Structures are given as structure tokens and as C-alpha cells.
Amino acid sequence: MSYNGYFRTNSKIYKQDREFYDLKNRAVEYYRANGVPQKMEVVLNEMFFEKPDDVYGYLANYFSRLSRPPVINRVFGKEVYDGKGQLTVQAEVFCTVRNEEKTAGWAVISSHTEPRGGAGQNPGSANGNDRRKEAVMTAVRWINDSLCPMLKGFEPGDQTGVDKLLSDFYLAHFLEDQERQAREKDNQQSSEPVPEPATPPKSAVKDKKGKKNSTEKPIPPAEPPVPVLPGSVAVGTVSLAVAKAGAEIGGVPLYHHITTLKRPQFSGEIHMPLPMVTVLSCGRLSPGKLNLMEEVMVLPKAGQTIKQPALNAVSDSGALVIGYDRPEQPLDLISEASHNLGFVLGDVMSLAINCAGHELMDYQKGKYDAITGSPKSPNELVELYESLTSKYPAVIALIDPFRKEDQEQWERLSSVLGNTYLLSEAVSKTSGSHTLPGTRGFILQQTNEVTVTDLIHLTRQLEGAVTVVGTTNGEPCDDSLSDLAVGLGVTLVKLGGLYHGERLTKYNRLISIEEELAQQGRLGMAFSLSVFSAPQKGGRQSRGGGGTEIAGLVRMHLARSVKETVCQESEGRNRAKCTLALLIGHLITHRKGQGHGTVAEKRVHLYIK
């Protein structure tokens, strides 16, 4: 007899009993449809034989492996401040993990509101601050009002799908902004005539035979700057936050997650990029006449260790600011400090110079304001670079020696320099900088609308070239850039000087990554440039687990009291030389087991006494 018949014939069964019986039937069907009884039987049998100490932990682990993949529940944007105290955007990703909302990742990236390269730009002005505030508010609104519902339900590991949505979102707003500007331009009635562009004056130059020519070829006009869409920083920030969420959900470090995105199924050695450490800044904001050397950087050789000092009187990039009148002076200072420490530049370390040429062009004169009072034409600047690299062979790389419009000079300089690398800064998916003739390397930056997938595609396209992940002047205190550099497999990483928290946090992260890879036995040899890395006997150089030891990069090697006491007594050039000696003493590379570290330490103490 069925239960339905029983209910019909037995009037003593109350209505609530019938409802409870139906509820139990629905529960049975629900659990049976999801296989719960079978899985419970399996886990209970396995647990009985294994007899774990933590019974409920065993059950939790078992069922967590059967749970649905975490998905993005919401994205939250808010205003924060970067390393220069400027407003920027932070994005935080919340995921649904086993029916609970959890914070999975957050990110802050560099941003700019002005097109790159204009010498007249002043982002710190009132108008610049207003534009930045507007851009940040727009980005926060995009994240909270638009991107949050659009990304709901995405798996955090689906970086390609997320970045495609972000790029399409940016493109739609970019086109909308272009249409709006076009309408405003059509509707604007201006009675003022459009001024003719200023023509640079023609100056006399010497030809190869020493005769003066009456005219010099005019410089190419500046290309129109790539417009910066207010709010675009939301795209890059959310992209990196999702990448960090994917790494957190997957239980792997961010650099490992990026490596997997670029090279699925990869399980070999991971190579550490060589750090480019900025030691001097002699750019436009330095006290002297010299404007040409925005950054002078040292590059340690692959497979060796570097140490860190403390600096004072530093620039935004964390470098010692010194005023000089000639380009030879800062290089002489570094050479002299190295000589007093008993080391030769080009042997254990090399130099690179960020010229920031795109910021030095005086369009009224048609010349570069490389040295105040002594402007240089593009051809004269070629001769200056050739003379410097000939006199100082330790200089193995020049970053942005010219504007990108002076392609003839890029090509000519490349032909006369030989082994010196020419690097182009701020390559992005829209800049087109990789078309410059003569360039052998490119600096990648994640700013504004550049997504993680964009960087992966760029490094694939630039395979075989020297690739560098670099910082900007307005860096956030987010160490993800170090993970990006390692995960993307770039040759070099340009993090600025060894000062300021937003830069040291990235160096600290490099240390942690290197130590972790060494413990796993996956630390590969650091990338090296053939110009300054002589081949080692028997193949690639290796130390222990292989690779460069960055550990100790931010650990004090000399007593702070020695540095403070001696440097306070030094004045002018001696003070700069003293501080630089401490810096180079820490940056000197040490070969393991040869005791060079102790010798270097003694030499520094002897020199500064």
C-alpha cells in the first residue's frame, strides 16, 4: 500500500505530517541528484581507514575539492594616494568561494593624465591636479557602476576573457569620447585665425670636410600625442587586481600565475631579471646646467649579488640628485668612487643612462636643451653620445636618447655605437614605439588602460629583444611589478633607486621571489646582455640553485652610524663622492666563497675615513 493511500485512509495523520513527509522526499531527491550520499559514503570509508587527527578538517578538504570554481562577485574601486602623494585608484576583487564572499586581490598601478613627452607639461599645477582628480573619480565610477556588474560571474583565472571585456569597454568609451570632441569642434565658432606652426631657425653646421653649410635640415615636427582618456586607469588596475585574485584563488604566487598565463604547462626554471639600479639623477630638475642624464643606472653582472645602502637628497626615482654642468662629470664621479673601492667599471658592473630625450626638445630653437646655454641639434647629440660611450665604455645602454620623431638619428646612433644598446621607453599596445630604427630593447610599463594580457602579448612579440619592465615617477606602494617582471620573463627590471618605500617594497618582493624559487629548485640563471656578460667557462654561470642572488638587496651592509657621521662632515663633491662610495660599496657584486664582500666592506671603510 502506498503512502498516498495510507494518507487517504488514515484520518489520524495530520496535515503537517504530510508536509513534513513531502519535505523529506524533496530533500532525498535533492541530495541524490547531487550525489551527496555516494560521496559521503566514499569519504567516510576513506577517513575510517586513514583515521586523521582532524576529522572535520579532513572532511572540509575533501568537499572543498568538489566545490564549484570561485567566481567574481563584485569589484570595488576607491581613491588612494601614490608614492608622490597624488590621487590614484585602487581596485579590489571579491569572489564567491564556497558560497561565501571573500577578498581575493587588490591592485594599484601607475597612471598619468597627460600625454607623454611634452616638455611643457606640469602635472602638479592646479589644472593638472583638477584633471587628475577628474580622471580618478571617473575611474572609480567606471569600476563601481559599470565594470562591477559586467565582471560578475567571471572566473578570476580567466584573464584573457576579463581583459578582452576590459579592452572592449575602454575602446567603446574612447570612441565615444572622440565623437564628442568632434561634435564640439564642429559646433565651436572661433573668429581667431589658426596660427601657423613655428618654423625652427636654420643654423650653420659643418659637413664632413669641415666646411660650413648655410642651412641645417629642419627637425621633424612632433607627432600628435596619444590622447589620455580620463578614467582609463580603471582598466589596467582591474586587470592586475583580477590577475592577483587568480593567483590567490589558485594558491600560487603572482609571478607563477603570470608565467602560466604566458606559457601554459611550463614547469622549468624561472629566470630572474637583472635589476637596473638608479644611483644619480642629473636631469632637468637637478641644480646644474646638465639636463641630459635623467637617470644614471648601474647594472650588476648576472649570477652575482648586490647590496643596498641608505641615501639622502634623493629624487622621486630614489636616486642621489647632483648638479653638474657637463655630461662627463657624473660618470667621472662614479668611476672615481669605484676606483677608490678597488673596482673597475665594466668589469663587475656596467652603466646605463636614461636620457629622457623626448622631454628636452626646444621647438623654438629646433634643438635639444641637453645642457643649459648650450643646446644641441639632433646630429650634434649623436656626436655627444658617441664621444661619451667611447670615453666611458662601461656605458652599455642609452634609454630614449632622442624623440621618437628623430628616426634618422636613432638609426645613425645605432650604427656608430656598436655594442651599446638603445632602449625605447614606455612601449604600450598603442605607442608604436617598437618601430623605431636601431632600437634593441624596450621598456614596458603598465599604466592606464594597459592590461596584463597586453603585456603578455607584447613580450611574445618582442621575443629576442631586450625587454625591461619599468616604473614611473608616480609609483604606488604595490609590489606586483616585481611579480610581473619575473612572470613575463623580461631581461631587466627598472625599479629606480634604493630609496622611498614604494620602490623598496618592489626590491623586497624580488628578494622573496628569488628565495622562494631557490627553495623550490627552480631558480634559473639571470638573463644577461652579451655586451657586459662575458661567457663563462663550461657554459652558463651558476651559483647553487642557479641565478642571481638578489637576497640582501635591501639589507644594511655598513653601519648607518658610519654613513651618517662621515657624510655629515663631507661637503660639496666630497659629500656626493662619499655617499656614492657607500652606494657602490653595497652594489659591488660578490662571488660566493671568495670573500669579496669583506674586502669591499673594508675598502669602503678605508675610503670614507
Side-chain angles (χ1 to χ4, degrees), residues 22-62:
D22 291 338
L23 180 63
K24 288 196 295 183
N25 275 341
R26 291 198 302 272
V28 169
E29 291 301 321
Y30 173 77
Y31 291 127
R32 184 178 297 156
N34 287 279
V36 174
Q38 297 89 335
K39 291 180 175 62
M40 285 293 297
E41 183 179 359
V42 170
V43 67
L44 292 176
N45 288 334
E46 291 178 355
M47 186 172 63
F48 174 75
F49 288 105
E50 295 187 20
K51 293 182 173 59
D53 294 334
D54 186 354
V55 172
Y56 297 105
Y58 186 94
L59 291 172
N61 291 336
Y62 177 85

Side-chain angles (χ1 to χ4, degrees), residues 53 65 90 213 377 549 552 608:
D53 294 334
R65 293 191 292 269
Q90 175 179 307
N213 295 329
S377 69
E549 292 185 4
I608 64 178

Side-chain angles (χ1 to χ4, degrees), residues 109-269:
I109 68 170
S110 303
S111 63
H112 58 274
T113 57
E114 305 288 344
R116 174 181 178 268
Q121 294 173 8
N122 185 11
S125 64
N127 290 337
N129 289 333
D130 290 342
R131 285 192 294 270
R132 188 174 189 90
K133 184 175 182 179
E134 177 191 355
V136 169
M137 292 175 62
T138 301
V140 171
R141 186 172 66 251
W142 281 7
I143 294 173
N144 295 333
D145 297 345
S146 302
L147 294 177
C148 179
M150 292 171 68
L151 291 172
K152 185 178 177 66
F154 272 84
E155 293 186 15
D158 184 13
Q159 191 72 41
T160 302
V162 168
D163 285 348
K164 184 179 186 308
L165 183 147
L166 292 173
S167 297
D168 292 344
F169 176 84
Y170 168 79
L171 181 60
H173 281 77
F174 179 81
L175 295 176
E176 180 182 340
D177 185 70
Q178 293 294 299
E179 293 177 0
R180 178 188 58 78
Q181 293 185 27
R183 288 195 301 269
E184 290 178 356
K185 186 176 181 180
D186 292 340
N187 296 333
Q188 184 179 12
Q189 301 295 331
S190 176
S191 58
E192 298 180 1
V194 179
E196 293 291 332
T199 303
K202 300 179 179 179
S203 58
V205 296
K206 292 183 178 181
D207 58 17
K208 294 183 178 178
K209 296 181 180 180
K211 298 180 181 180
K212 287 190 175 181
N213 295 329
S214 59
T215 60
E216 181 178 312
K217 185 179 179 180
I219 64 169
E223 295 181 4
V226 177
V228 178
L229 181 64
S232 58
V233 67
V235 174
T237 305
V238 171
S239 175
L240 182 57
V242 170
K244 295 176 75 172
E248 177 69 20
I249 295 298
V252 297
L254 178 58
Y255 70 87
H256 185 280
H257 182 62
I258 300 295
T259 301
T260 303
L261 291 174
K262 183 180 179 181
R263 296 178 289 179
Q265 309 301 323
F266 176 78
S267 59
E269 291 182 341

Side-chain angles (χ1 to χ4, degrees), residues 72 118 122 139 196 198 214 218 253 274 315 335 343 371 399 410 426 454 481 494 541:
I72 297 174
N122 185 11
E196 293 291 332
S214 59
L274 285 174
S315 66
S335 299
F343 296 96
I371 301 172
I399 301 174
W410 278 90
D454 292 330
L481 195 68
K494 178 177 173 288
Q541 182 183 351

Side-chain angles (χ1 to χ4, degrees), residues 359-386:
E359 299 179 359
L360 301 179
M361 174 56 71
D362 185 336
Y363 286 94
Q364 295 296 324
K365 299 177 181 178
K367 292 187 175 184
Y368 286 94
D369 191 19
I371 301 172
T372 302
S374 180
K376 303 291 183 183
S377 69
N379 287 331
E380 289 172 337
L381 208 52
V382 172
E383 296 172 359
L384 175 60
Y385 290 136
E386 183 180 8

